[in-house]
Amino acid sequence: MERTTSKSLSPLPIFGPTISVMDRYIITELIGPFIFGVGLFSSIGVTVGAMFELVRKVTESGLPISIAIQVFLLKMPEFIALALPMAMILATLMVYSEMSSNSEIVALRSCGVSVSRIIIPAVIVSLMATGLTFALNEVIVPNANYQSSLILEKTLEQDNPPFKEENIFYPEFGKVRRPDGSRDDTLTRLFYAEKFDGKYMKGITILDRSKYGVEQIVSSESATWNPTKNIWDLFNGTIYLVSSDGSYRNIVKFDHQQLKLSRAPLDLAGKKRTYTQMNIAQSYEYLELMRLSGNYRKVVKTQVRIQQKLALPFVCLVMGLVGASLGVRPHRNSNRGTSFGISVIIIFTYYLLSFMTGAMGQKEVLTPFLAGWLPNFIGLGVALLLLGKASR
C-alpha cells in the first residue's frame, strides 16, 4: 500500500500532467463495478419495462417471437441510458468505501492528498458517463424507440399508414378583443377532418371564432395545403355566418376557397413521436408546433420535458460525486451489499424527487428550468456538504 501511495503523486506523461498513478488506479477500480452496475440495472429495467409487456403480446396478441426479440433489442439502449447514473453511484460508493475500509484513504491523506483530490478520478469517470448518456439519448435512444413502435404497429395493426388516417382535430387558441377593449384568451378556431389520405383532408369542418360576436362555420368536401402560398385550398364547400344569437346571417357556397390557417393540422396528421422518441432538437420543433396551436398545457409540458432531457446526462456527475463523498468517509469494513442498498435508496429518492418536480413544473408551481434541474442542484448540494464533512 505504501508503494502505491508514494507513486500516486507522480504524474503519468501518457495521460497528461494531471493524471497520476493514483488516478489511474482508482479509475481502473471504478470500471469493473461500473460495467457491472450498467448490466445489472439495465437488465432489471428492460425486464420490468419491456419484457413482461412483450411476453404478454406474444401470448395474447400473437406477436412473433422473432419480432419480440427485435423490439426487445431496440428497447435496450433506453434502459442502458437510464442505468448509467445508477451504475455511477454504485461504482463510486463500492470503490471508495472499500478504499476507506482498507485504510487507503487514510494513507493518501497522510501523504498530503486532499479528499477533493482523491475524488477527481470519480469526476473523470462521471463526466465520461455523462457524455455517453447524452450521446445515447440524442442519437440512439429516440430512433430505437421509434423503430420499435413502428415494428409493433406494423405487426399488430396491418396496413397502418405513416400518418393519422381519421379524426384530425386542431384547436387554435388566441386573444379575442371584446367591445370594451379587453382581450380574452379563448378558442379562436377549431379544425376537424374526418379522413386524411396523405395529401387531401376529407370532410372538413372549421369553426372560426376569431372575431367577437361573429362565428363562421366552414364546411368543405376536401382541403389540401398549398406550400407555395402557405395557405389552405378548400374545395366544394359552404361558409355559414352565424350571429351571436345563433341565427344564420349568410350562407355562401364555393367551389374553391383559400383560407389563411396554420399548417399545424397537416403536421398533427403526420405520425408524431412521443417524448421518449424525440431528441432535443425534435422536442424544440414539437414545442413550436404546440405554440402555433395555442395548446398552452402541451407547451408547458414540452418545456419541462426538454429541461429534463438536458439535465438527465448530468445525473451521472451528481451520482458520482454523491457516491464518492459517501465512500471516502471512515469505514471499519466494506460490504458490497450495503453499498448496493444505499445506492438503490439514493436512486429511488432522486427519481421520486425528479417525478415530483416534473409534476410541479407542469402545474407551473416551478419554472420548466427548475423542474428539470432542481433534483441535480439538490444532489450537487448534498454531495458538496458530504465532501466538506469528509474533508474535516
Side-chain angles (χ1 to χ4, degrees), residues 51-65 68 156:
M51 182 178 291
F52 291 156
E53 180 64 19
L54 288 173
V55 170
R56 188 186 66 81
K57 283 183 168 62
V58 169
T59 56
E60 296 181 5
S61 304
L63 182 70
I65 295 178
L156 299 178

Side-chain angles (χ1 to χ4, degrees), residues 32-273:
F34 177 72
I35 295 175
F36 169 77
V38 172
L40 174 65
F41 290 117
S42 60
S43 298
I44 295 173
V46 77
T47 299
V48 176
M51 182 178 291
F52 291 156
E53 180 64 19
L54 288 173
V55 170
R56 188 186 66 81
K57 283 183 168 62
V58 169
T59 56
E60 296 181 5
S61 304
L63 182 70
I65 295 178
S66 59
I67 298 297
I69 294 173
Q70 187 177 355
V71 172
F72 178 82
L73 294 175
L74 286 170
K75 295 294 291 182
M76 280 297 296
E78 177 184 6
F79 292 98
I80 291 174
L82 291 173
L84 289 172
M86 306 178 192
M88 198 66 249
I89 189 169
L90 178 64
T92 52
L93 190 55
M94 287 176 60
V95 170
Y96 281 95
S97 294
E98 187 171 354
M99 290 179 64
S100 180
S101 64
N102 293 337
S103 300
E104 293 177 89
I105 300 295
V106 175
L108 287 170
R109 296 194 67 181
S110 66
C111 293
V113 184
S114 65
V115 170
S116 58
R117 179 64 183 86
I118 294 173
I119 69 168
I120 289 296
V123 174
I124 294 172
V125 177
S126 298
L127 289 174
M128 294 171 62
T130 297
L132 180 58
T133 303
F134 184 82
L136 282 172
N137 285 331
E138 284 299 290
V139 180
I140 299 177
V141 172
N143 289 328
N145 285 344
Y146 185 57
Q147 290 301 319
S148 67
S149 176
L150 290 181
I151 290 171
L152 283 175
E153 289 178 358
K154 183 178 179 181
T155 304
L156 299 178
E157 301 175 18
Q158 298 298 323
D159 301 325
N160 190 30
F163 49 83
K164 188 172 183 180
E165 209 174 8
E166 298 179 345
N167 299 323
I168 295 96
F169 287 93
Y170 168 67
E172 184 175 287
F173 296 85
K175 293 183 179 294
V176 175
R177 184 182 295 275
R178 294 185 176 273
D180 60 2
S182 63
R183 297 173 67 89
D184 293 336
D185 287 315
T186 185
L187 177 69
T188 54
R189 290 187 182 92
L190 179 62
F191 180 101
Y192 171 73
E194 293 181 0
K195 294 183 180 181
F196 179 50
D197 62 8
K199 182 178 180 181
Y200 287 95
M201 300 279 189
K202 305 292 182 64
I204 307 299
T205 301
I206 301 172
L207 174 63
D208 188 345
R209 303 174 66 243
S210 56
K211 294 182 179 179
Y212 180 76
V214 178
E215 291 189 359
Q216 179 177 264
I217 301 174
V218 181
S219 177
S220 174
E221 287 186 7
S222 62
T224 186
W225 174 254
N226 188 333
T228 58
K229 296 182 179 180
N230 290 329
I231 206 167
W232 283 90
D233 287 322
L234 283 70
F235 304 97
N236 302 324
T238 306
I239 300 175
Y240 303 90
L241 293 178
V242 184
S243 299
S244 57
D245 60 2
S247 62
Y248 289 117
R249 291 174 52 184
N250 196 10
I251 300 176
V252 179
K253 291 186 177 293
F254 62 86
D255 294 326
H256 176 223
Q257 180 77 24
Q258 291 186 323
L259 180 64
K260 187 69 175 179
L261 182 69
S262 168
R263 65 161 284 157
L266 182 64
D267 294 332
L268 290 173
K271 177 65 74 175
K272 286 299 172 184
R273 302 187 177 204

Side-chain angles (χ1 to χ4, degrees), residues 325-339:
S325 300
L326 283 172
V328 294
R329 297 180 307 161
H331 294 279
R332 292 185 178 180
N333 51 60
S334 176
N335 188 309
R336 296 196 172 190
T338 302
S339 297

